Amino acid sequence: MEEIQSQSDNYRSSSSSASSPASRVPSSNFFYLRKPGSLRQPISFEDSPDWEDTDIDVRVDEGGDSINVATTPASPSLSKLNSRSLPSPPLPEGAVIPRKIAGASVVWKDLTVTIKGKRKYSDKVIKSSTGYALPGTMTVIMGPAKSGKSTLLRAIAGRLDPSARMYGEVFVNGAKNPMPYGSYGYVERETTLIGSLTVREFLYYSALLQLPGFFCQKKSVVEDAIHAMSLSEYANKLIGGHCYMKGLPSGERRRVSIARELVMRPHVLFIDEPLYCLDSVSALLMMVTLKKLAGTGCTLIFTIYQSSTEVFGLFDRICLLSNGNTLFFGETLACLQHFSNAGFPCPIMQSPSDHFLRAINADFDRIIAMCKNWQDDNGDFSSVKMDTAVAIRTLEATYKSSADAAAAETMILRLTEKEGPALKVKGKASNATRVAVLTWRSLLVMSREWKYYWLRLILFMFLTLCVGTVFSGLGHSLSSVVTRVAAIFVFVSFCSLLSIAGVPVLMKEIKIYACEESNQHSGALVFLLGQLLSSIPFLFLISISSSLVFYFLIGLRDEFSLLMYFVLNFFMSLLVNEGLMIVVATIWQDVFWSVLTLLCIHVLMMLSAGYFRIRNALPGPVWMYPLSYIAFHTYSIKGLLENEYLGTSFAVGPVRAIPGFQALQSAYNISLDSNSKWENLLVLFLMAVGYRILVLVLLCFCVGRKTSLRRFRCNRDTTNTS
């Protein structure tokens, strides 16, 4: 008991001494301290590239001491992992040595981002932010929600939304040139992965889409990315699982999305919220993996909302934002001293990131107001005794006059005074290769994923059996004509309605395309051709299986040529319907509204198809023109009826017979021309092509145009400010 009491007294004395700003010194037990007394120096140049000590071949311009190379030594800041507190284990036999990456220094100076309001660019999301990131280090942009973290990251990477405008300068290796293709990678907060592929397959197809050269050369790149993100254990597992097998956990999925960008071996890697939706264990594993990646020389810049103490200790530099204002930029340990100097020391038992966000997040004021009568075991509910707005102004003013800000400015001058080697544009895979890769990948995914076309095949076969048994045994008398017209109408119309079940998977394909197109891994025409070529075999399988069952159950004319036309006509109608679904899905990009819109369109097409009321008798405006002419049901049903009844005759009494065309006059309008059914088939083909062209325009306008506008606007505004 005496020992426990003495330990308690020691804790109280240490807590009380640490509560004052003047005497606050972090405990030496914090594992992320590099060396005693490191906090007394606000910022140092120990992490700046000293090219004389590197093991990598570099080039330095004669007569200058500025940083003008794209590689870096192993930063001393990595001693957080290699210090005596976290000893590096020896490499086991057969271990894969990470491939070194030539990083690049990134500097943003007086960066301001405005968002276009109703009339002009007025709202400043980022206000004169300044900072830098060095090769082999991790620079984190931290702040509360809606503080401008993701906007600043996009501005540095040159990926701002078209509604935003950027002012300021961004330097890469001392030059203002934008980062070319392949020199950087960008990982969105939410990325779409293909669940029916294994990790190795997913990365391999990504490599085929991104890199030029032969297929066999991509395997080593994929294996390097797998080892870099510690995914060897999951390399042969399906990302989304299968049947009763679970897919990858969220942490591994996040690492797969990062590994996709590592295939290009980028010099700089931007990650928006790498710890998004991860638990504490997965978050720590993620950051240790990224730290290992930074050790290979890559420059890492990412945003983060909150982190544990262990994760916080892995950061090299931190850019702290609040309402677009930069409250601090410098080494993570110096940030603790900065808050202490401003009068907000971090309690020993509290995570540094929690303390930072508590001081600068205005939402805590409402919580404290609600809980003002509550007290915890230590007394007050909060250790910050100041309004958040006042705390933000105090921290901002303290930083502007601190040695940390001056040291950052000095480092930025050193990084920008002389241009280093420009980053080179890496080669791309040809469009023909990308089309082939997307086609094969889609075929593999569609064959594994039952929601794509296998579900539709089951539904079509079920509907065909139902319709076929209901209308079976019709015979070939004159009285069966009207009933057979009804059967063909129900078959074509209801199958088109059942095709709407494929909207969710089409939506997922569009999301995958948007993700790949944003990083220039794909294109609108490439995606469209790949999707079309991969869907044709499955649509033809559905059409021929459904047509055969329906054709013989209904008892249509037993001729092979007529049967083949029936199959081809139904296949073209499915192809047109598929194009229509892609058009609607691209416009809405939402499953609910896409399904609702398609249902309304199909109902209108069914009403104007000429079954409920003969086409010639439809009202002229709207129903006759244009609905009756744009409804593919009309041409499909008309072609099938002409295929069945042209050239036939029906007996009326013992002597008289009437042709099939005349027998259909009271039920449906068809043409007497024997080539009319082929003209209807041609119209269906042109409609299928027209819908694909419309999809191409929509994809370029909705996705491709936004991406190009982002790059153009960022480059233009950066040039104007220089």
Side-chain angles (χ1 to χ4, degrees), residues 66-142:
S66 60
I67 300 172
N68 52 6
V69 291
T71 54
T72 183
S75 171
S77 66
L78 297 180
S79 59
K80 299 174 188 176
L81 289 180
N82 299 327
S83 63
R84 60 180 178 274
S85 57
L86 283 179
S88 299
L91 288 175
E93 296 183 2
V96 178
I97 301 176
R99 185 187 297 269
K100 291 296 182 180
I101 300 175
S105 63
V106 180
V107 174
W108 62 97
K109 187 176 180 181
D110 295 329
L111 209 60
T112 299
V113 178
T114 59
I115 301 296
K116 188 176 183 179
K118 295 182 178 180
R119 295 184 178 179
K120 60 180 181 178
Y121 292 89
S122 56
D123 300 330
K124 291 185 178 181
V125 182
I126 302 297
K127 307 169 186 176
S128 300
S129 178
T130 300
Y132 61 90
L134 298 178
T137 62
M138 296 198 305
T139 303
V140 57
I141 303 173
M142 182 180 290

Side-chain angles (χ1 to χ4, degrees), residues 516-583:
E516 293 178 341
E517 201 279 337
S518 63
N519 289 330
Q520 304 181 54
H521 300 166
S522 181
L525 182 60
V526 171
F527 163 75
L528 195 60
L529 291 177
Q531 196 279 335
L532 175 62
L533 295 176
S534 60
S535 64
I536 285 177
F538 293 95
L539 291 178
F540 189 77
L541 174 64
I542 293 174
S543 62
I544 194 171
S545 58
S546 303
S547 299
L548 287 174
V549 174
F550 177 81
Y551 198 89
F552 291 106
L553 283 179
I554 298 301
L556 299 179
R557 294 168 63 185
D558 190 10
E559 294 183 21
F560 181 76
S561 60
L562 301 181
L563 173 61
M564 287 298 98
Y565 178 87
F566 190 98
V567 173
L568 188 58
N569 183 292
F570 186 56
F571 168 72
M572 292 305 303
S573 65
L574 291 181
L575 207 59
V576 173
N577 193 33
E578 190 87 357
L580 175 62
M581 290 194 300
I582 300 177
V583 169

Side-chain angles (χ1 to χ4, degrees), residues 293-332:
L293 176 62
T296 62
C298 184
T299 305
L300 294 182
I301 307 175
F302 54 88
T303 63
I304 198 170
Y305 175 74
Q306 201 169 9
S307 67
S308 63
T309 305
E310 292 82 1
V311 170
F312 181 82
L314 298 176
F315 303 151
D316 291 297
R317 290 177 186 83
I318 180 174
C319 178
L320 195 61
L321 296 180
S322 180
N323 297 327
N325 298 304
T326 302
L327 304 185
F328 177 79
F329 178 82
E331 293 187 354
T332 53

Side-chain angles (χ1 to χ4, degrees), residues 27-42:
S27 172
S28 60
N29 293 328
F30 282 2
F31 81 95
Y32 51 78
L33 289 181
R34 296 194 184 118
K35 53 189 177 181
S38 61
L39 279 180
R40 296 187 179 93
Q41 299 178 1

Side-chain angles (χ1 to χ4, degrees), residues 586-637:
T586 306
I587 293 174
W588 286 112
Q589 298 187 15
D590 180 80
V591 175
F592 173 78
W593 290 108
S594 298
V595 171
L596 184 62
T597 303
L598 286 170
L599 285 174
C600 296
I601 291 175
H602 279 288
V603 169
L604 293 175
M605 287 185 176
M606 290 167 62
L607 290 175
S608 60
Y611 172 73
F612 297 102
R613 189 174 182 182
I614 295 178
R615 187 180 181 188
N616 293 338
L618 288 173
V622 180
W623 294 107
M624 187 65 179
Y625 309 100
L627 284 179
S628 179
Y629 283 89
I630 65 174
F632 68 90
H633 301 70
T634 304
Y635 302 99
S636 178
I637 296 172

Side-chain angles (χ1 to χ4, degrees), residues 51 78 142 168 170 191 199 251 491 510 550 570 632 654 684 690 720:
W51 305 111
L78 297 180
M142 182 180 290
V170 177
T191 55
V199 173
F491 175 70
I510 294 174
F550 177 81
F570 186 56
F632 68 90
L684 290 175
N720 291 341

